[in-house]
Amino acid sequence: MIRHRSAFGGVGFPMTTPGAALHSGRGRAAFRAASLPGTVDEVHPGGWQDTGRDIMRRTYTVLAWIIAAGVFVQAAAIAFGFAGMAGYVQGGGVVDKALVESQTAGNFTGELGFPIHAIVGGMVIPFAALALVVVSFLVRVPGARKWAAIVLGLVVVQAMLGYSITDLPYLGLIHGANALAVLLSSVQAARLVARAEARPTDSTVTASASV
């Protein structure tokens, strides 16, 4: 550090040479910031916490779409199964308890649709709905927990109706209608993250208003 002598002969304010500024702690920090523009904070402004939150949001969306796709698979599989069974009966085949309990898929075309319907409805969709509820606590998106709980509740009702439909055939009406409710609620849950990301934040609105 040197002192600058004014034109009037007095000693003025101190001046710092470039070398001294560079060797100081504050100077080194400024030099590194200027030399390294692509820092981690610029690439990930929120750090690893925001990165993990983004992963959870993507997981939440994928799980919701899996449930919606599962409803489509169930509908297609059961229609395929009953269509094949109708053709089998019209051709002279007999569908009885022995055939149903045979656990085979080669008796008639479309018989494979029944086990697919049972596996997707009894395992894939329930596990995905349960995982959706768990992930909903980590995404921090408005309405995520609510819609995950709604999806899980409807899936539980759907499974109960499916297992009781043979004793009370009229429950099939509710079973089919509830499937549409599962589909619509899962689609709503899947779109929550995109809507939350598209919605302007409070800081953005404040900055726009100040300009």
Side-chain angles (χ1 to χ4, degrees), residues 5-19:
R5 185 175 298 276
S6 65
F8 298 96
V11 178
F13 55 87
M15 294 183 61
T16 304
T17 61

PDB file of all heavy atoms in Angstrom, residues 5-19:
ATOM      1  N   ARG A   5       0.461  11.548  -2.598  1.00  0.00           N
ATOM      2  CA  ARG A   5       0.720  12.912  -2.156  1.00  0.00           C
ATOM      3  C   ARG A   5      -0.029  13.875  -3.070  1.00  0.00           C
ATOM      4  O   ARG A   5       0.099  13.827  -4.279  1.00  0.00           O
ATOM      5  CB  ARG A   5       2.217  13.204  -2.200  1.00  0.00           C
ATOM      6  CG  ARG A   5       2.599  14.579  -1.639  1.00  0.00           C
ATOM      7  CD  ARG A   5       4.098  14.733  -1.605  1.00  0.00           C
ATOM      8  NE  ARG A   5       4.708  13.752  -0.734  1.00  0.00           N
ATOM      9  CZ  ARG A   5       4.814  13.925   0.588  1.00  0.00           C
ATOM     10  NH1 ARG A   5       4.357  15.039   1.154  1.00  0.00           N
ATOM     11  NH2 ARG A   5       5.380  12.998   1.329  1.00  0.00           N
ATOM     12  N   SER A   6      -0.819  14.735  -2.475  1.00  0.00           N
ATOM     13  CA  SER A   6      -1.630  15.662  -3.246  1.00  0.00           C
ATOM     14  C   SER A   6      -0.773  16.776  -3.815  1.00  0.00           C
ATOM     15  O   SER A   6       0.395  16.958  -3.453  1.00  0.00           O
ATOM     16  CB  SER A   6      -2.735  16.258  -2.372  1.00  0.00           C
ATOM     17  OG  SER A   6      -2.154  17.050  -1.353  1.00  0.00           O
ATOM     18  N   ALA A   7      -1.350  17.528  -4.729  1.00  0.00           N
ATOM     19  CA  ALA A   7      -0.625  18.629  -5.369  1.00  0.00           C
ATOM     20  C   ALA A   7      -0.315  19.745  -4.392  1.00  0.00           C
ATOM     21  O   ALA A   7       0.555  20.592  -4.654  1.00  0.00           O
ATOM     22  CB  ALA A   7      -1.436  19.182  -6.543  1.00  0.00           C
ATOM     23  N   PHE A   8      -0.977  19.813  -3.256  1.00  0.00           N
ATOM     24  CA  PHE A   8      -0.755  20.875  -2.277  1.00  0.00           C
ATOM     25  C   PHE A   8       0.282  20.493  -1.234  1.00  0.00           C
ATOM     26  O   PHE A   8       0.483  21.188  -0.250  1.00  0.00           O
ATOM     27  CB  PHE A   8      -2.083  21.214  -1.568  1.00  0.00           C
ATOM     28  CG  PHE A   8      -3.109  21.735  -2.527  1.00  0.00           C
ATOM     29  CD1 PHE A   8      -4.045  20.863  -3.060  1.00  0.00           C
ATOM     30  CD2 PHE A   8      -3.117  23.054  -2.922  1.00  0.00           C
ATOM     31  CE1 PHE A   8      -4.997  21.334  -3.950  1.00  0.00           C
ATOM     32  CE2 PHE A   8      -4.057  23.523  -3.802  1.00  0.00           C
ATOM     33  CZ  PHE A   8      -5.003  22.669  -4.331  1.00  0.00           C
ATOM     34  N   GLY A   9       0.948  19.370  -1.453  1.00  0.00           N
ATOM     35  CA  GLY A   9       2.038  19.012  -0.578  1.00  0.00           C
ATOM     36  C   GLY A   9       1.624  18.142   0.574  1.00  0.00           C
ATOM     37  O   GLY A   9       2.472  17.642   1.312  1.00  0.00           O
ATOM     38  N   GLY A  10       0.352  17.927   0.802  1.00  0.00           N
ATOM     39  CA  GLY A  10      -0.102  17.100   1.915  1.00  0.00           C
ATOM     40  C   GLY A  10      -0.194  15.638   1.501  1.00  0.00           C
ATOM     41  O   GLY A  10      -0.116  15.290   0.326  1.00  0.00           O
ATOM     42  N   VAL A  11      -0.308  14.808   2.495  1.00  0.00           N
ATOM     43  CA  VAL A  11      -0.452  13.378   2.220  1.00  0.00           C
ATOM     44  C   VAL A  11      -1.936  13.066   2.109  1.00  0.00           C
ATOM     45  O   VAL A  11      -2.699  13.343   3.031  1.00  0.00           O
ATOM     46  CB  VAL A  11       0.195  12.546   3.351  1.00  0.00           C
ATOM     47  CG1 VAL A  11      -0.002  11.066   3.068  1.00  0.00           C
ATOM     48  CG2 VAL A  11       1.668  12.881   3.446  1.00  0.00           C
ATOM     49  N   GLY A  12      -2.345  12.531   0.978  1.00  0.00           N
ATOM     50  CA  GLY A  12      -3.764  12.263   0.730  1.00  0.00           C
ATOM     51  C   GLY A  12      -4.168  10.869   1.164  1.00  0.00           C
ATOM     52  O   GLY A  12      -3.534  10.263   2.023  1.00  0.00           O
ATOM     53  N   PHE A  13      -5.208  10.376   0.519  1.00  0.00           N
ATOM     54  CA  PHE A  13      -5.757   9.077   0.899  1.00  0.00           C
ATOM     55  C   PHE A  13      -4.846   7.961   0.406  1.00  0.00           C
ATOM     56  O   PHE A  13      -4.120   8.123  -0.573  1.00  0.00           O
ATOM     57  CB  PHE A  13      -7.161   8.915   0.298  1.00  0.00           C
ATOM     58  CG  PHE A  13      -7.192   9.100  -1.203  1.00  0.00           C
ATOM     59  CD1 PHE A  13      -6.947   8.042  -2.053  1.00  0.00           C
ATOM     60  CD2 PHE A  13      -7.447  10.358  -1.740  1.00  0.00           C
ATOM     61  CE1 PHE A  13      -6.974   8.219  -3.418  1.00  0.00           C
ATOM     62  CE2 PHE A  13      -7.475  10.518  -3.123  1.00  0.00           C
ATOM     63  CZ  PHE A  13      -7.226   9.462  -3.959  1.00  0.00           C
ATOM     64  N   PRO A  14      -4.854   6.803   1.082  1.00  0.00           N
ATOM     65  CA  PRO A  14      -3.984   5.694   0.666  1.00  0.00           C
ATOM     66  C   PRO A  14      -4.501   5.051  -0.615  1.00  0.00           C
ATOM     67  O   PRO A  14      -5.687   4.992  -0.868  1.00  0.00           O
ATOM     68  CB  PRO A  14      -4.072   4.715   1.837  1.00  0.00           C
ATOM     69  CG  PRO A  14      -5.375   5.016   2.472  1.00  0.00           C
ATOM     70  CD  PRO A  14      -5.598   6.486   2.294  1.00  0.00           C
ATOM     71  N   MET A  15      -3.602   4.577  -1.423  1.00  0.00           N
ATOM     72  CA  MET A  15      -3.920   3.865  -2.663  1.00  0.00           C
ATOM     73  C   MET A  15      -3.325   2.464  -2.594  1.00  0.00           C
ATOM     74  O   MET A  15      -2.244   2.265  -2.034  1.00  0.00           O
ATOM     75  CB  MET A  15      -3.353   4.597  -3.892  1.00  0.00           C
ATOM     76  CG  MET A  15      -3.988   5.954  -4.162  1.00  0.00           C
ATOM     77  SD  MET A  15      -3.343   6.693  -5.660  1.00  0.00           S
ATOM     78  CE  MET A  15      -3.798   5.508  -6.866  1.00  0.00           C
ATOM     79  N   THR A  16      -4.033   1.522  -3.162  1.00  0.00           N
ATOM     80  CA  THR A  16      -3.586   0.133  -3.176  1.00  0.00           C
ATOM     81  C   THR A  16      -3.105  -0.221  -4.568  1.00  0.00           C
ATOM     82  O   THR A  16      -3.810   0.007  -5.554  1.00  0.00           O
ATOM     83  CB  THR A  16      -4.740  -0.814  -2.780  1.00  0.00           C
ATOM     84  OG1 THR A  16      -5.234  -0.398  -1.506  1.00  0.00           O
ATOM     85  CG2 THR A  16      -4.268  -2.243  -2.709  1.00  0.00           C
ATOM     86  N   THR A  17      -1.927  -0.761  -4.648  1.00  0.00           N
ATOM     87  CA  THR A  17      -1.388  -1.151  -5.948  1.00  0.00           C
ATOM     88  C   THR A  17      -2.105  -2.386  -6.443  1.00  0.00           C
ATOM     89  O   THR A  17      -2.652  -3.161  -5.653  1.00  0.00           O
ATOM     90  CB  THR A  17       0.112  -1.435  -5.843  1.00  0.00           C
ATOM     91  OG1 THR A  17       0.287  -2.527  -4.925  1.00  0.00           O
ATOM     92  CG2 THR A  17       0.862  -0.214  -5.344  1.00  0.00           C
ATOM     93  N   PRO A  18      -2.098  -2.644  -7.757  1.00  0.00           N
ATOM     94  CA  PRO A  18      -2.759  -3.842  -8.284  1.00  0.00           C
ATOM     95  C   PRO A  18      -2.193  -5.120  -7.688  1.00  0.00           C
ATOM     96  O   PRO A  18      -2.912  -6.077  -7.430  1.00  0.00           O
ATOM     97  CB  PRO A  18      -2.534  -3.751  -9.797  1.00  0.00           C
ATOM     98  CG  PRO A  18      -2.334  -2.291 -10.049  1.00  0.00           C
ATOM     99  CD  PRO A  18      -1.639  -1.759  -8.836  1.00  0.00           C
ATOM    100  N   GLY A  19      -0.870  -5.168  -7.480  1.00  0.00           N
ATOM    101  CA  GLY A  19      -0.272  -6.370  -6.919  1.00  0.00           C
ATOM    102  C   GLY A  19      -0.744  -6.630  -5.505  1.00  0.00           C
ATOM    103  O   GLY A  19      -1.040  -7.759  -5.126  1.00  0.00           O
TER     104      GLY A  19
END
